[in-house]
Structures are given as structure tokens and as C-alpha cells.
Amino acid sequence: MGQPHINGVRGVELDVRDLGASVGFYEKVWGLQETSREAGSSYLRATGLDHHALALHAAPRSGLRSINLAAADKAAVDALHEKAVGFGSKVQNAPHALKGVAGGGYGFSLETPDGVTVSVSADVAQHAERIDDKTRPNKFSHAVLRASDVESMDAFFIDLLGFKLSDKNGHIDFLRCSSDHHSIAIGHAKGPGLHHMAFELPNLDGLLYAVGRTKLAGYPIEWGVGRHAGPGDNIFCMFVEPNGFAAEMTTEMLQVDDATYPKRSVEYWKSVPIQPCAWGIATQRSEMLHKARSGKLVEELNDRCENLAPRREAA
Ligand SMILES: [Fe+2]
């Protein structure tokens, strides 16, 4: 079967302080739908067949809990586990049956070199039917991580998990595991942490409708709508969600083929004018977005809530 490898990104799992409010945002505003729940956890699907694209867990402080990746079958999961052990990665557990509330399946967890939990799974349940609504995300698109040691993160995803380098532009290394130009990207920034997460809309019209719905709900556009003139060529619009994470709506991600995609050099990307965007309309990113992508906003909101809690109790 060749080298064992990851063939898709299922989504992310987030710790959130207010589970009810977060589920409300992701259902009513972002367009996901709760598909299963257990005490303290909610699993939300997109309109595609994947069991869920986002899992939310109640916790004292918000943060990235894990990134969930897909392998083709149990044999691929076993092979990746064996490889991870040999690679010297911190492996959290051996492959095992995964819990039904999260769609079941078979998998294991390990950690990136800087300690982010990554779950690898196969045979997770799928929905029988897609939801027919183009104004809602159809799948999780990509997660961008902040990392101080980009080289060791690249080695983890490429040498261990079988990702391919699509492009690097000097700021972000873009990695693929399917025909999407990137599913994981590593931002050269203080880490570890989530720089941003992106959900795919089926087309531009659907994305614009979803952008309007989010704006009307009181969440301003922090950057976009635009089309990246850089790696991926995708259309994007960035928001900051209630926990302080940067959340992107995207569509028209460049589809690439291993045999023909002309990976370009850092020098190439430095030579092309990528700002403000291919359409010339997505100007400055907001200060709020900078703060969200750096991880500072999540921590600031965590600290604020922690400081408020004793006062509430005393009142
Ligand atoms: Fe993105």
C-alpha cells in the first residue's frame, strides 16, 4: 500500500468555557448542526457526509484540544502508529475503538513536537445524506498552527504522517494530504497554538450569504472578503468567534495534482504582489484578527473570565 499516510483532515476539537453559547454560535450563525452530544461535549456536522467537522468540550479555559486527521483504513492507522513509535513521537495511546458519540471508528492519538494533540482515525461513521444548503459549510477545510520550530513540525507532518509540501512563502508552510492545496499549514510564529481554522463553503454565492448572516448576527468581518493571491488561491473571509479563535470561511481552494503541481520557492512568493488580495479589495486585517491569530485574545478572554468568577461569587 506504499507509505502509510493521512488522507484527510476531519476537523478540530476546541475547549470552550461556555458550551451552550458556543454551540449556539456554531449552529445559528456559522451554519453547522449538532449531530451528537454527551455531558460536556457537542459534535457538530457540516453539510457533507463526515460525522462532524467540529467538536466542542466544556472546560475552564478555551483552547485547542486536538486536530483530527483521517487515514484510509485500520491497516493505515496501525502502520502510522508503528511509524510514530519508531519516529520517537509522543504517542498517547495504542489504536483502539473510538467512542460512538464521536462517530466511532478506530484510531490513536499522538502529539506534534510542540505538544498539540493529533488524532488519527479510520472507519468513523458517515451520514447517509448531505444537507442541501449551500449557505452552510460543507466540510472542514484547513487548520493553521503557530509554531516556533517550523522544521520539526514539517518533519512531523511530512516524514511521519505523509503530508506533502505544497508551498512555503516565508511566513507559512502549506501542507496537503488530498487534492486541496493545503489542509494543514504551519505559521512561523510563537506557538504552540491555533492560528486559524477554516470551513469550506460550496461556492462564492454560498460564502457571501454566510458572511452576511454572520455580520447580521453581530460579528464583523475582520479581513476579506478576498481571494488570496498567494498559495492556495482560495477565497476567504475571516471572523473572530466568541471564544477568541480566528475562524475563516473559504471556497474555491486550489485543487492540485501530485504529478503536475509546480511547487514554487519562497523567492517566487516574495516576488509576487499578494497584498491586498487578487481582487484588490481585502485590505488591512483588523487588530482583533491579529490578536486572535496570535492566541492572545483567547488567553485574554480566559483570564478575564477567571478574574470575574470570584467577584460574581462574592456579589
Ligand atoms: Fe486559511
Side-chain angles (χ1 to χ4, degrees):
M1 80 179 180
Q3 284 294 310
H5 60 274
I6 294 301
N7 65 1
V9 57
R10 298 186 190 279
V12 294
E13 304 203 16
L14 302 177
D15 286 336
V16 296
R17 290 183 315 277
D18 187 335
L19 181 63
S22 295
V23 171
F25 170 81
Y26 280 105
E27 281 204 312
K28 294 190 181 72
V29 180
W30 206 249
L32 303 180
Q33 180 179 311
E34 186 175 76
T35 188
S36 57
R37 173 183 271 262
E38 65 179 355
S41 297
S42 172
Y43 299 85
L44 298 125
R45 69 171 289 191
T47 61
L49 299 182
D50 284 351
H51 182 269
H52 61 277
L54 176 70
L56 300 172
H57 305 284
R61 291 177 73 86
S62 302
L64 173 64
R65 180 175 285 204
S66 71
I67 294 181
N68 295 343
L69 304 177
D73 51 29
K74 284 184 177 178
V77 170
D78 286 336
L80 284 167
H81 175 261
E82 195 179 321
K83 199 173 166 191
V85 171
F87 198 79
S89 288
K90 188 166 179 193
V91 177
Q92 294 180 345
N93 45 49
H96 58 284
L98 302 174
K99 56 186 180 179
V101 70
Y106 179 78
F108 73 99
S109 299
L110 71 169
E111 291 179 19
T112 64
D114 57 4
V116 174
T117 295
V118 171
S119 297
V120 174
S121 60
D123 296 345
V124 177
Q126 290 215 310
H127 296 285
E129 293 189 356
R130 297 175 196 280
I131 298 170
D132 184 18
D133 187 344
K134 292 195 166 36
T135 74
R136 295 162 59 180
N138 55 286
K139 70 168 191 174
F140 188 85
S141 171
H142 59 275
V144 180
L145 299 171
R146 287 178 278 105
S148 310
D149 183 351
V150 177
E151 251 176 58
S152 65
M153 291 290 275
D154 281 354
F156 174 85
F157 282 101
I158 295 171
D159 300 338
L160 170 57
L161 297 179
F163 279 71
K164 296 194 168 73
L165 177 66
S166 285
D167 277 299
K168 48 166 77 182
N169 65 1
H171 306 291
I172 298 180
D173 292 8
F174 298 84
L175 311 176
R176 71 177 183 274
C177 58
S178 68
S179 60
D180 284 354
H181 175 275
H182 55 278
S183 295
I184 294 287
I186 313 296
H188 302 214
K190 192 164 176 250
L194 185 63
H195 180 276
H196 72 268
M197 58 184 164
F199 294 81
E200 184 183 273
L201 277 294
N203 57 29
L204 176 58
D205 202 50
L207 180 140
L208 291 174
Y209 194 99
V211 166
R213 182 177 64 226
T214 306
K215 273 186 73 174
L216 286 172
Y219 296 86
I221 293 174
E222 307 292 349
W223 188 33
V225 177
R227 181 189 281 283
H228 287 305
D233 295 346
N234 47 314
I235 294 169
F236 64 91
C237 190
M238 290 276 189
F239 293 93
V240 172
E241 58 82 89
N243 304 288
F245 296 107
E248 175 185 356
M249 294 176 185
T250 189
T251 192
E252 296 188 15
M253 171 71 80
L254 182 67
Q255 297 297 294
V256 305
D257 179 287
D258 286 354
T260 57
Y261 183 64
K263 180 175 68 186
R264 299 182 181 94
S265 64
V266 173
E267 287 65 38
Y268 168 82
W269 288 114
K270 282 184 176 165
S271 74
V272 297
I274 63 169
Q275 301 289 356
C277 79
W279 298 331
I281 57 173
T283 52
Q284 293 294 313
R285 300 164 181 85
S286 72
E287 279 307 310
M288 189 67 89
L289 183 63
H290 282 297
K291 211 168 166 183
R293 300 202 306 190
S294 72
K296 287 181 187 152
L297 185 57
V298 169
E299 292 313 316
E300 197 175 290
L301 293 172
N302 281 336
D303 291 344
R304 200 182 297 166
C305 285
E306 257 179 9
N307 292 336
L308 282 175
R311 270 185 252 158
R312 266 196 229 114
E313 278 159 23

